[in-house]
């Protein structure tokens, strides 16, 4: 194939990506948009195969078949509740691929121009950090390692030293270091990804996943500089922009800075300063029947879902409950906090899977003023995002984080397994309010019991 | 370094287009946005294929195979899972 024609086809692929992303602006056009982007990718792959001198076809075929099969299998079998860890894993693979491409380019020839050396180093480092960081995030989300912040002694000194080593090795590679220096650099970058993500707690995962998403895009863009591919540069920049926007939204929704999330060791600090009286104050504990009666005779209910809903996989049971309530004439809406769950939009996907109409889902800003006019706020597996301390208590570690004002509803019903504090170790004053009913149960069990109880109410 | 001007120009303009397009994506679709854009970042498969195609030494062959496999997991998995999610969003539209 003629190179000029190939360049135009690559451009067409890049345009397909942009239009595909644009169509994600509405749920109606989104699916077509994604398919268009997929078509763009297919074009890019075919063009590349046609213009390359394929010396080792079996390697190409083996890679395509193995990768395609694994990716297809994961995509088809994953539970919607496990979406955050799947996206984290895919991010890791993308970053890893970009690092490998750059490393292979470095090994190909001895005398590379300065600019190529620099972009190779950038692509390798960013890609390797994305790879290891994403898999640590995956392990945390999957429960393979603790969701709590995990640090190591001397981290405050160790991290900057490692960063300095990476900078040093990078300069060495650019200044003419051999392949073994590059491998050392890869190793150092992999370690950096691990030790930077391990100290970040589970509830901060929406920020981390978004940030790694930006990184995987940046790595692809850098790989595009290395191999002189505009298609790669453009696509990588799009993804980098997308990841940064999401990171920014997540950080704002927690009233924190990116630096604070990545380097704050938030959980550790919060636990030292947290109030000690957890569980000693009186709470109003309710049975399934109490809760069912309150819900069944309410005029309006706002459901506030959180990560506990995902863990218990209770989205279908929740939908069954709200169906019953709606049949009884109760007005049911859902309030989605931006950082509910473990990734941006996590709750929306779960509720979409359970066939909840998206017109009933409201953002924080859209529904905040509705709580004082609502009979019942039903909190299912959420904690920090409904903690009034973030609004009222200046000493709270999460003071200033925007929360859903569920305490302003006539009654707040909290479904939670126990009184244990959320990830951050912060007590929640909501649990001790007079108008709060605590229903201690696993979210799924609670939903099935409530369905039975509401039918009898 | 002068030959970096054009690629950097492309990068900056593309990032700008990305910001403009993606800022308007509603929060409801943020998960599909992330998995879909993630699939797009798998475009690094272009580079991976070039590397794999010239796998003349053992090291190059191993690197090439891994690069293509990784990128392919990212691409195929990313687009398919996004499609699965968006199908769920879309069916809410039918009366």
């Amino acid at each position: 194939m003629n190179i000029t024609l190939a360049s135009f086809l690559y451009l067409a692929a890049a345009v397909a990506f942009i239009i595909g992303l644009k169509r994600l602006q509405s749920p109606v056009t989104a699916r077509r948009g994604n398919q268009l982007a997929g078509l763009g990718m297919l074009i890019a792959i075919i063009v590349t195969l046609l213009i390359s001198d394929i010396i080792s076809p079996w390697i190409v075929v083996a890679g395509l078949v193995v990768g395609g099969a694994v990716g297809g299998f994961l995509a088809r079998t994953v539970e919607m509740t496990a979406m955050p860890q799947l996206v984290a894993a895919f991010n890791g693979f993308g970053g890893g691929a970009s690092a490998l491409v750059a490393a292979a380019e470095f090994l190909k020839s001895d005398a590379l121009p300065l600019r190529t050396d620099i972009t190779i180093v950038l692509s390798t480092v960013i890609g390797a950090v994305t790879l290891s960081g994403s898999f640590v995030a995956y392990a945390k989300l999957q429960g393979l390692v603790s969701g709590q912040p995990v640090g190591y002694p001397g981290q405050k000194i160790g991290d900057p030293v490692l960063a300095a080593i990476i900078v040093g090795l990078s300069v060495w590679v650019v200044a003419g270091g051999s392949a073994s220096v590059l491998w050392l650099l890869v190793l150092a970058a992999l370690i950096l990804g691990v030790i930077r993500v391990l100290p970040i707690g589970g509830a901060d995962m929406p920020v981390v996943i978004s940030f790694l998403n930006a990184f995987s895009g940046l790595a692809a863009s850098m790989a595009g500089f290395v191999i002189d591919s505009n298609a790669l540069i453009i696509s990588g920049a799009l993804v980098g922009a997308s990841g940064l926007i999401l990171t920014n939204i997540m950080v704002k929704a927690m009233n924190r800075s990116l630096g604070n999330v990545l380097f704050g060791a938030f959980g550790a600090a919060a636990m030292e300063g947290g109030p000690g009286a957890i569980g000693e104050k009186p709470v109003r504990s309710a049975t399934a029947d109490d809760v069912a009666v309150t819900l069944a005779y309410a005029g309006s209910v706002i459901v506030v879902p959180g990560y506990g809903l995902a863990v218990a996989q209770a989205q279908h049971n929740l939908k069954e409950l709200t169906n019953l309530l709606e049949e009884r004439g109760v007005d049911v809406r859902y309030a989605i906090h931006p950082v509910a769950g473990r990734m941006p939009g996590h709750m929306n996907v779960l509720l979409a899977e359970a066939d909840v109409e998206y017109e009933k889902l409201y953002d924080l800003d859209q529904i905040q003023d509705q709580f004082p006019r609502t009979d019942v706020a039903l909190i299912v597996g959420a904690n920090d995002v409904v903690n009034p301390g973030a609004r009222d208590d200046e000493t709270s570690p999460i003071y200033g984080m925007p929360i859903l004002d569920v305490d302003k509803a006539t009654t707040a019903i909290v479904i939670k397994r126990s009184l244990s504090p959320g990830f951050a170790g912060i007590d929640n004053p909501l649990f001790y309010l007079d108008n709060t009913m605590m229903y201690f149960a696993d979210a799924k069990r609670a939903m099935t019991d409530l369905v039975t109880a509401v039918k009898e109410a | 370094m002068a030959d970096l001007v054009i690629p950097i120009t492309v990068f900056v303009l593309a990032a700008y287009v990305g910001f403009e397009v993606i800022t308007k994506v509603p929060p409801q679709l943020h998960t599909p946005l992330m998995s879909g854009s993630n699939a797009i970042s798998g475009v690094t498969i272009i580079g991976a294929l070039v590397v794999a195609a010239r796998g003349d030494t053992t090291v190059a062959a191993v690197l090439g195979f891994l690069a293509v496999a990784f990128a392919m997991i990212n691409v195929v998995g990313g687009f398919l899972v996004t499609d699965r999610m968006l199908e769920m969003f879309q069916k809410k539209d039918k009366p």
Side-chain angles (χ1 to χ4, degrees), chain A residues 334-386:
Chain A
Y334 295 79
I336 314 289
H337 192 281
V339 294
R342 288 293 184 264
M343 76 182 297
H346 191 187
M347 291 299 124
N348 299 88
V349 171
L350 288 193
L351 295 174
E353 187 196 11
D355 278 339
V356 175
E357 297 84 346
Y358 64 78
E359 292 83 1
K360 290 186 184 157
L361 308 183
Y362 294 86
D363 296 340
L364 178 69
D365 301 339
Q366 293 171 318
I367 205 158
Q368 188 70 306
D369 59 349
Q370 298 294 313
F371 283 106
R373 276 170 268 167
T374 300
D375 295 329
V376 179
L378 178 67
I379 297 124
V380 190
N383 188 358
D384 293 340
V385 299
V386 294

Side-chain angles (χ1 to χ4, degrees), chain B residues 38-50:
Chain B
N38 185 231
I40 291 174
S41 77
V43 71
T44 199
I45 194 162
I46 295 177
L49 287 171
V50 171

Side-chain angles (χ1 to χ4, degrees), chain A residues 25 28 55-56 75 78 91 344, chain B residues 21 31 38 52-53 83-84 91 93:
Chain A
Q25 288 173 6
V28 185
I55 302 169
S56 48
V78 68
N91 262 333
Chain B
V21 170
T31 295
N38 185 231
D83 191 62
R84 237 182 97 191
K91 70 187 172 202
D93 259 16

Side-chain angles (χ1 to χ4, degrees), chain A residues 24-25 28 31 34-35 55-56 59 68 75-76 78 90-91 94 98 104-105 108 221 239 344-346 352 355 358, chain B residues 3 7 11 21-22 26 28-29 31 37-39 44 51-55 61 72 74 77 79 83-84 90-93:
Chain A
L24 275 175
Q25 288 173 6
V28 185
R31 194 175 180 201
N34 182 57
Q35 288 165 350
I55 302 169
S56 48
I59 297 175
R76 289 200 182 282
V78 68
F90 285 163
N91 262 333
S98 296
E105 283 296 312
K108 185 182 68 172
S221 225
V239 180
H346 191 187
D355 278 339
Y358 64 78
Chain B
D3 50 353
F11 177 80
V21 170
I22 289 151
Q28 283 161 357
L29 291 176
T31 295
S37 65
N38 185 231
T44 199
V51 170
R54 60 155 195 261
M72 199 65 180
N74 196 193
F79 281 120
D83 191 62
R84 237 182 97 191
Q90 199 176 37
K91 70 187 172 202
K92 302 313 162 306
D93 259 16

